[in-house]
């Protein structure tokens, strides 16, 4: 939760990431990812403003989003 709060500037109830894990539709759990985030992160905002971004190993960045720059997701080295 804290990593996404830092990245979005929002509290967990507003950015949507409430735990380290999410329930899978067929059962079991998986690490939380970028798809669970309900608000744009700093790299999304900067990218949308035409700035080049580089994010490496930030928690909950899988799958990597399309940005003006590079994202190396946290899933690279679990």
């Amino acid at each position: 939760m804290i990593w996404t709060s830092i990245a979005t500037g929002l509290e967990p109830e507003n950015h949507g990431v409430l735990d380290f894990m999410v329930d899978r539709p067929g059962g079991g759990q998986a690490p939380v990812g970028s798809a669970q985030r309900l608000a744009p992160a700093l790299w999304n905002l900067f990218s949308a403003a035409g700035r080049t971004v580089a994010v490496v190993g930030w928690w909950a960045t899988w799958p990597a989003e399309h940005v003006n720059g590079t994202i190396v997701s946290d899933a690279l080295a679990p």
Side-chain angles (χ1 to χ4, degrees):
M1 293 186 309
I2 190 69
W3 294 101
T4 306
S5 292
I6 293 168
T8 63
L10 299 173
E11 295 182 4
E13 47 278 349
N14 295 321
H15 60 59
V17 176
L18 305 175
D19 201 345
F20 287 104
M21 305 294 283
V22 292
D23 294 328
R24 289 184 170 178
Q29 291 190 316
V32 69
S34 60
Q36 284 77 42
R37 193 178 69 240
L38 302 177
L42 288 173
W43 49 87
N44 302 121
L45 298 172
F46 281 114
S47 183
R51 303 291 301 264
T52 302
V53 299
V55 178
V56 178
W58 195 268
W59 183 264
T61 53
W62 175 260
E65 301 163 280
H66 293 282
V67 295
N68 181 25
T70 303
I71 293 182
V72 179
S73 144
D74 62 320
L76 177 68

